[in-house]
Structure formats: structure tokens, C-alpha cells
Amino acid sequence: MDSISQLLLGAAVAGAVVPAAHRRAAMLAGAALGTLPDLDSFPIALFTDDPVALMTLHRGLSHSLFVLPLVAWAIWALFRRRGGRVAQAPWPWFRAIQLALVTHPLLDAFTVYGTQLLWPLAAPPVMWSSVFIIDPGYTLWLLLGVVVALFAGHKPLARQALVAGLVLSCGYLGWSLVAKSMVEREAERSLAALGLEDARRFSVPMPFNTLLWRVVAMTPDGFVEGEHSLVADRRPISFRRHASDVDALAQVAGYPAVSRLAWFNHGFMKAQVRDDRLVLSDLRMGAEPDYSFNFAVAERDGAGWRAMPPQQLEWPWEARRRLAQMWDRIWEEPAAASTQPGGH
């Protein structure tokens, strides 16, 4: 989730559980702790410039539910020995520090990026993918609660505002899971009509909302992609077929960078050849043909491929046009279309 949401969540949970006289200090500490796990990018960058490593090591150790409680305990013990507010109310502060840190990866897990909650176990990253990385519907309630609490100070209204903000923001997360289940049911029906009922798939909300969703399912020669609006759509999801160089991907599957990416993104990748290099795109973030993460992982070597140091590639895409189209798509169902098995 974005840094502002994490900062506000940390401030809200910390401020809600400490004594009133400590509330503003706890909110400041919670805001700092709420952003702490995402600082892992800096030490990772000190040890490698490999873009695949930078992507897949992020949200690892620093987001582990095995690690963060121990970090929280160490921080609490340090400040308790130093005296001050933590020593005056040790157990409320223990809860505040624990909550500020542990809620960070749990919130991240609601996005599609992938959060390694069980690090160092080899389980694939968790991606519940029910909210976009930035979603005002979640963040607004926390912001209002924190602002009111800052002005209310020691008054009971401060804690009430923080609790209300947390309840409403958590309620929004709950709604996002309900919305996702509705989309998944429709996706299952629509894919079954195409003979793709057993295809691996994922669904993810489009930017800044939980009303319009993108669904992707893998096929033997690539993938299909479609959208579903919970507001406007009454017909089955209309899927578009897209090709992927699955043969080339199979040839390089054993390369370390490729296997690492496949583990991280659950195999939701598109392979294409650009300038005699094999480029893998993470299908989870973006939409055809524009994706946030694209890596050149191999070079042509005769009829085959030769591993190369991974390079992250970017190409321009019209974000403003896409966002305008997305907004219209929430409220309007497009004309009927069909996708036939075997088409592109």
C-alpha cells in the first residue's frame, strides 16, 4: 500500500491504544513505525543492482510476521529501559508498537504486488489483491480520524475519531473482499463458457477504486484479459486474447532470474521478443500492452537463448487517457463482444 496509508494506519493504531496524555507522541511514533518496513529498499540497493532482486527481495524480511513482532519487542524494550512515556505505560506502548509494525505487511497483503508474510519460509508471496496500491476509499477515513485526533489531543473525542477511522477503513477492506468474491464468481462463469474453467487466473481492482476489476487467465498460448464493473455490467465478462512466447519462456524457465520471477508473481507473466532480447512482463500490474515491471532476461543465441544480467525496461503509455477510459468504464457497459477459444 502507499506510504501515506501506511503512515496513517500506524499513527491511528498506536494513538488508539495508549493513554490520552501520550496520544500525540504515540501517533508520531506509530507513523514512523508504519513506514519503517518499506525502508528495506535502501539496504537491499546497497548489496545489489539486479532489478529482479530489488523487486523480489522487497516485502521480504522486513514484512515477515515472524520477524516484525521481534523487532517491535526490541524497540519497546529499548525505550522502556530509557524511561519516559514507554516506561510509564509499558503495556499500552507494547501494543502500540506491535500494532504499528505488524499491521503494515497485513495491509500490503491486500494488494497484488506480493508480500512475504511467512519469510524465511519458501511460500510464494501473499497477494489477496482486493485493493489497488492507492485507494482513497481506504485512506480517507484514517486521514480524517488522525486529523481530528491531532486537534482533539487529550479529549475522548481523539480516541473515538481514531477508532472510527480504523473501523471504517477496515470495513472498506472487508467490502473489497466481498467485491472480489463477486468478480471471481462472474469470472468463473465467463471463463467456463470459453472452455477455460481450469485456467489459472487472478482478479485485481483497477486504480483508485473497487468497482471496476481486471481479470486475467492464462491459456496455453498466452492469456485472456477482461474487465468487470460491479455497477454497470450485466453480461458475462468479455475477454480479449493475447499471445505470449510460451515456447521461449519454457526454454529459459530454469534461469535463476526467470524462476525467481515466476515464484514471485505466481507465473503470471507475458513473454515477448524485443530487439533480440526476451522480455518478461508482470501481468499483475498494468494492462495490455503497458505493464509496470518488464525485465529483459535473455538474448538470442542462434536458435536458443543465452542468459543475461536482468535489465528493467520501461516504455511510455498514456496514463491520463487510460484513467479517463477507466472512469467511464465503471459506469458504462461496452457493447456485447465475444471471445472464441483459439482466437487472438
Side-chain angles (χ1 to χ4, degrees):
M1 206 72 177
D2 66 281
S3 296
I4 293 176
S5 297
Q6 295 287 11
L7 180 152
L8 292 171
L9 177 59
V13 295
V17 299
V18 299
H22 298 181
R23 184 166 292 120
R24 284 177 175 158
M27 290 170 63
L28 180 61
L33 292 170
T35 61
L36 182 62
D38 279 343
L39 299 182
D40 65 345
S41 297
F42 296 103
I44 293 171
L46 295 176
F47 293 96
T48 182
D49 59 358
D50 181 331
V52 171
L54 292 173
M55 179 185 187
T56 61
L57 291 176
H58 179 50
R59 295 196 187 179
L61 179 151
S62 68
H63 287 61
S64 171
L65 294 181
F66 295 130
V67 174
L68 285 178
L70 298 177
V71 173
W73 174 84
I75 293 172
W76 171 79
L78 173 64
F79 280 90
R80 186 185 186 189
R81 285 197 299 269
R82 295 180 60 181
R85 296 183 182 91
V86 177
Q88 295 168 17
W91 297 116
W93 274 94
F94 181 81
R95 293 194 297 271
I97 295 170
Q98 288 282 348
L99 286 170
L101 281 176
V102 171
T103 54
H104 179 115
L106 292 176
L107 179 58
D108 275 346
F110 280 89
T111 69
V112 77
Y113 183 91
T115 306
Q116 298 171 56
L117 296 180
L118 301 180
W119 186 97
L121 301 182
V126 175
M127 52 173 215
W128 296 326
S129 64
S130 68
V131 292
F132 188 67
I133 192 171
I134 301 173
D135 192 330
Y138 173 80
T139 309
L140 176 62
W141 310 112
L142 293 175
L143 176 62
L144 291 174
V146 167
V147 169
V148 171
L150 286 174
F151 282 100
H154 300 174
K155 298 177 182 177
L157 174 63
R159 185 176 184 278
Q160 294 168 0
L162 293 174
V163 171
L166 289 167
V167 168
L168 290 170
S169 62
C170 288
Y172 185 81
L173 292 179
W175 149 251
S176 75
L177 294 174
V178 172
K180 184 179 179 70
S181 69
M182 296 166 63
V183 173
E184 286 287 338
R185 284 197 296 271
E186 183 54 51
E188 184 176 5
R189 289 193 291 265
S190 300
L191 288 169
L194 301 176
L196 296 173
E197 58 270 19
D198 296 325
R200 293 186 303 108
R201 69 175 187 270
F202 70 89
S203 59
V204 62
M206 301 292 275
F208 317 129
N209 78 101
T210 49
L211 298 177
L212 179 63
W213 292 69
R214 174 173 170 260
V215 179
V216 172
M218 307 306 290
T219 65
D221 60 352
F223 61 98
V224 295
E225 177 185 51
E227 295 81 40
H228 182 69
S229 168
L230 293 172
V231 176
D233 290 5
R234 297 297 178 266
R235 294 188 296 269
I237 299 174
S238 176
F239 286 99
R240 304 172 296 279
R241 285 189 178 269
H242 302 289
S244 174
D245 198 332
V246 294
D247 292 333
L249 181 56
Q251 292 178 42
V252 303
Y255 293 179
V258 177
S259 59
R260 178 72 178 177
L261 283 172
W263 168 80
F264 188 77
N265 60 35
H266 298 247
F268 293 116
M269 290 187 291
K270 171 187 176 181
Q272 59 183 313
V273 179
R274 288 194 170 211
D275 300 325
D276 285 332
R277 295 188 297 178
L278 184 62
V279 178
L280 303 183
S281 300
D282 191 324
L283 294 175
R284 302 170 305 159
M285 287 165 279
E288 187 65 25
D290 305 306
Y291 297 100
S292 300
F293 293 96
N294 309 281
F295 302 98
V297 296
E299 299 173 311
R300 280 201 185 276
D301 184 12
W305 297 95
R306 179 178 64 251
M308 59 175 283
Q311 296 180 7
Q312 186 166 359
L313 307 178
E314 296 180 4
W315 44 81
W317 59 289
E318 300 178 30
R320 290 184 179 180
R321 176 180 59 82
R322 280 190 175 271
L323 289 175
Q325 291 174 344
M326 180 201 75
W327 180 253
D328 293 337
R329 178 66 181 84
I330 292 175
W331 313 108
E332 298 178 8
E333 185 174 26
S338 62
T339 303
Q340 298 300 323
H344 292 281

PDB file of all heavy atoms in Angstrom, residues 276-289:
ATOM      1  N   ASP A 276      15.779  -8.727 -30.170  1.00  0.00           N
ATOM      2  CA  ASP A 276      16.508  -9.971 -29.931  1.00  0.00           C
ATOM      3  C   ASP A 276      16.747 -10.260 -28.450  1.00  0.00           C
ATOM      4  O   ASP A 276      17.651 -11.021 -28.087  1.00  0.00           O
ATOM      5  CB  ASP A 276      17.851  -9.974 -30.671  1.00  0.00           C
ATOM      6  CG  ASP A 276      17.668 -10.193 -32.166  1.00  0.00           C
ATOM      7  OD1 ASP A 276      16.674 -10.834 -32.552  1.00  0.00           O
ATOM      8  OD2 ASP A 276      18.517  -9.720 -32.943  1.00  0.00           O
ATOM      9  N   ARG A 277      15.944  -9.656 -27.606  1.00  0.00           N
ATOM     10  CA  ARG A 277      16.003  -9.968 -26.176  1.00  0.00           C
ATOM     11  C   ARG A 277      14.633 -10.460 -25.732  1.00  0.00           C
ATOM     12  O   ARG A 277      13.597  -9.985 -26.210  1.00  0.00           O
ATOM     13  CB  ARG A 277      16.415  -8.746 -25.357  1.00  0.00           C
ATOM     14  CG  ARG A 277      17.826  -8.268 -25.645  1.00  0.00           C
ATOM     15  CD  ARG A 277      18.258  -7.183 -24.670  1.00  0.00           C
ATOM     16  NE  ARG A 277      17.432  -5.983 -24.775  1.00  0.00           N
ATOM     17  CZ  ARG A 277      17.573  -4.913 -24.004  1.00  0.00           C
ATOM     18  NH1 ARG A 277      18.510  -4.897 -23.062  1.00  0.00           N
ATOM     19  NH2 ARG A 277      16.794  -3.869 -24.166  1.00  0.00           N
ATOM     20  N   LEU A 278      14.634 -11.410 -24.825  1.00  0.00           N
ATOM     21  CA  LEU A 278      13.382 -11.932 -24.291  1.00  0.00           C
ATOM     22  C   LEU A 278      12.973 -11.088 -23.086  1.00  0.00           C
ATOM     23  O   LEU A 278      13.723 -10.983 -22.110  1.00  0.00           O
ATOM     24  CB  LEU A 278      13.535 -13.388 -23.876  1.00  0.00           C
ATOM     25  CG  LEU A 278      12.247 -14.075 -23.393  1.00  0.00           C
ATOM     26  CD1 LEU A 278      11.206 -14.114 -24.504  1.00  0.00           C
ATOM     27  CD2 LEU A 278      12.546 -15.483 -22.890  1.00  0.00           C
ATOM     28  N   VAL A 279      11.808 -10.488 -23.171  1.00  0.00           N
ATOM     29  CA  VAL A 279      11.314  -9.590 -22.136  1.00  0.00           C
ATOM     30  C   VAL A 279      10.125 -10.230 -21.439  1.00  0.00           C
ATOM     31  O   VAL A 279       9.181 -10.696 -22.092  1.00  0.00           O
ATOM     32  CB  VAL A 279      10.901  -8.225 -22.731  1.00  0.00           C
ATOM     33  CG1 VAL A 279      10.345  -7.310 -21.643  1.00  0.00           C
ATOM     34  CG2 VAL A 279      12.090  -7.566 -23.427  1.00  0.00           C
ATOM     35  N   LEU A 280      10.180 -10.274 -20.118  1.00  0.00           N
ATOM     36  CA  LEU A 280       9.088 -10.807 -19.309  1.00  0.00           C
ATOM     37  C   LEU A 280       8.376  -9.657 -18.610  1.00  0.00           C
ATOM     38  O   LEU A 280       9.013  -8.830 -17.957  1.00  0.00           O
ATOM     39  CB  LEU A 280       9.627 -11.800 -18.273  1.00  0.00           C
ATOM     40  CG  LEU A 280      10.419 -12.982 -18.824  1.00  0.00           C
ATOM     41  CD1 LEU A 280      10.819 -13.917 -17.688  1.00  0.00           C
ATOM     42  CD2 LEU A 280       9.637 -13.734 -19.887  1.00  0.00           C
ATOM     43  N   SER A 281       7.056  -9.627 -18.753  1.00  0.00           N
ATOM     44  CA  SER A 281       6.237  -8.585 -18.139  1.00  0.00           C
ATOM     45  C   SER A 281       5.354  -9.196 -17.063  1.00  0.00           C
ATOM     46  O   SER A 281       4.740 -10.248 -17.283  1.00  0.00           O
ATOM     47  CB  SER A 281       5.361  -7.893 -19.188  1.00  0.00           C
ATOM     48  OG  SER A 281       6.151  -7.285 -20.195  1.00  0.00           O
ATOM     49  N   ASP A 282       5.291  -8.548 -15.919  1.00  0.00           N
ATOM     50  CA  ASP A 282       4.434  -8.986 -14.820  1.00  0.00           C
ATOM     51  C   ASP A 282       3.007  -8.573 -15.136  1.00  0.00           C
ATOM     52  O   ASP A 282       2.681  -7.377 -15.151  1.00  0.00           O
ATOM     53  CB  ASP A 282       4.919  -8.354 -13.511  1.00  0.00           C
ATOM     54  CG  ASP A 282       4.244  -8.957 -12.295  1.00  0.00           C
ATOM     55  OD1 ASP A 282       3.050  -9.288 -12.368  1.00  0.00           O
ATOM     56  OD2 ASP A 282       4.910  -9.085 -11.243  1.00  0.00           O
ATOM     57  N   LEU A 283       2.141  -9.552 -15.401  1.00  0.00           N
ATOM     58  CA  LEU A 283       0.774  -9.260 -15.830  1.00  0.00           C
ATOM     59  C   LEU A 283      -0.090  -8.670 -14.725  1.00  0.00           C
ATOM     60  O   LEU A 283      -1.172  -8.153 -15.001  1.00  0.00           O
ATOM     61  CB  LEU A 283       0.112 -10.545 -16.343  1.00  0.00           C
ATOM     62  CG  LEU A 283       0.706 -11.147 -17.617  1.00  0.00           C
ATOM     63  CD1 LEU A 283       0.019 -12.477 -17.922  1.00  0.00           C
ATOM     64  CD2 LEU A 283       0.557 -10.196 -18.788  1.00  0.00           C
ATOM     65  N   ARG A 284       0.349  -8.739 -13.492  1.00  0.00           N
ATOM     66  CA  ARG A 284      -0.499  -8.329 -12.381  1.00  0.00           C
ATOM     67  C   ARG A 284      -0.623  -6.824 -12.253  1.00  0.00           C
ATOM     68  O   ARG A 284      -1.616  -6.317 -11.720  1.00  0.00           O
ATOM     69  CB  ARG A 284       0.048  -8.909 -11.073  1.00  0.00           C
ATOM     70  CG  ARG A 284       0.162 -10.417 -11.058  1.00  0.00           C
ATOM     71  CD  ARG A 284       0.922 -10.870  -9.831  1.00  0.00           C
ATOM     72  NE  ARG A 284       2.223 -10.233  -9.744  1.00  0.00           N
ATOM     73  CZ  ARG A 284       2.942 -10.111  -8.638  1.00  0.00           C
ATOM     74  NH1 ARG A 284       2.466 -10.592  -7.505  1.00  0.00           N
ATOM     75  NH2 ARG A 284       4.117  -9.520  -8.653  1.00  0.00           N
ATOM     76  N   MET A 285       0.380  -6.098 -12.734  1.00  0.00           N
ATOM     77  CA  MET A 285       0.411  -4.649 -12.528  1.00  0.00           C
ATOM     78  C   MET A 285       0.502  -3.944 -13.863  1.00  0.00           C
ATOM     79  O   MET A 285       1.542  -3.944 -14.524  1.00  0.00           O
ATOM     80  CB  MET A 285       1.587  -4.274 -11.618  1.00  0.00           C
ATOM     81  CG  MET A 285       1.332  -4.672 -10.175  1.00  0.00           C
ATOM     82  SD  MET A 285       2.798  -4.654  -9.125  1.00  0.00           S
ATOM     83  CE  MET A 285       3.532  -6.247  -9.547  1.00  0.00           C
ATOM     84  N   GLY A 286      -0.604  -3.342 -14.279  1.00  0.00           N
ATOM     85  CA  GLY A 286      -0.717  -2.699 -15.571  1.00  0.00           C
ATOM     86  C   GLY A 286      -1.867  -3.318 -16.335  1.00  0.00           C
ATOM     87  O   GLY A 286      -2.776  -3.937 -15.767  1.00  0.00           O
ATOM     88  N   ALA A 287      -1.872  -3.145 -17.635  1.00  0.00           N
ATOM     89  CA  ALA A 287      -2.873  -3.744 -18.512  1.00  0.00           C
ATOM     90  C   ALA A 287      -2.277  -3.749 -19.910  1.00  0.00           C
ATOM     91  O   ALA A 287      -1.446  -2.905 -20.249  1.00  0.00           O
ATOM     92  CB  ALA A 287      -4.192  -2.967 -18.479  1.00  0.00           C
ATOM     93  N   GLU A 288      -2.703  -4.694 -20.720  1.00  0.00           N
ATOM     94  CA  GLU A 288      -2.153  -4.833 -22.057  1.00  0.00           C
ATOM     95  C   GLU A 288      -2.315  -3.533 -22.868  1.00  0.00           C
ATOM     96  O   GLU A 288      -3.408  -2.964 -22.934  1.00  0.00           O
ATOM     97  CB  GLU A 288      -2.865  -5.990 -22.766  1.00  0.00           C
ATOM     98  CG  GLU A 288      -2.297  -6.372 -24.097  1.00  0.00           C
ATOM     99  CD  GLU A 288      -0.887  -6.939 -23.993  1.00  0.00           C
ATOM    100  OE1 GLU A 288      -0.516  -7.474 -22.928  1.00  0.00           O
ATOM    101  OE2 GLU A 288      -0.166  -6.838 -24.997  1.00  0.00           O
ATOM    102  N   PRO A 289      -1.236  -3.024 -23.478  1.00  0.00           N
ATOM    103  CA  PRO A 289       0.114  -3.592 -23.580  1.00  0.00           C
ATOM    104  C   PRO A 289       1.117  -2.977 -22.593  1.00  0.00           C
ATOM    105  O   PRO A 289       2.314  -3.143 -22.769  1.00  0.00           O
ATOM    106  CB  PRO A 289       0.506  -3.203 -25.008  1.00  0.00           C
ATOM    107  CG  PRO A 289      -0.105  -1.842 -25.175  1.00  0.00           C
ATOM    108  CD  PRO A 289      -1.400  -1.874 -24.400  1.00  0.00           C
TER     109      PRO A 289
END
